[in-house]
Amino acid sequence: MTTEQLNQIIEAITDGRYSWACVLILRFIGYNPLHFIPQRTYSRILKENRQVTSNQANTTELKIPCGQAATGVGRDN
């Protein structure tokens, strides 16, 4: 398992997407998730993850380097 794959699993867990994390683990270690998860459940998990992934791609985050204050953020000017 690569570092990027592990990071994807950790991100899924921290986002509360535990079923998706299980699917990723099975995929990354070379198993077919359908051998362990019913087709209907697996399809639902894939559909939900596609929605989450597209929503994350469409949103932008405010990234502030560590130790710097965000000036003007959250203030009523």
Side-chain angles (χ1 to χ4, degrees):
M1 186 177 311
T2 67
T3 303
E4 177 59 33
Q5 291 171 333
L6 182 60
N7 287 339
Q8 288 180 30
I9 294 166
I10 292 170
E11 181 181 345
I13 293 169
T14 57
D15 289 346
R17 297 180 293 144
Y18 306 110
S19 298
W20 180 241
C22 291
V23 167
L24 291 176
I25 291 168
L26 289 169
R27 281 183 178 177
F28 294 155
I29 62 174
Y31 287 99
N32 181 351
L34 289 172
H35 292 164
F36 303 92
I37 302 170
Q39 172 65 45
R40 187 172 175 180
T41 302
Y42 182 67
S43 296
R44 179 184 52 81
I45 292 168
L46 290 179
K47 181 180 177 184
E48 288 172 357
N49 186 63
R50 271 181 277 192
Q51 291 173 349
V52 169
T53 303
S54 65
N55 287 343
Q56 288 176 347
N58 292 333
T59 60
T60 57
E61 294 180 24
L62 175 63
K63 295 189 179 188
I64 302 167
C66 189
Q68 295 184 6
T71 56
V73 176
R75 289 191 211 165
D76 293 332
N77 292 337

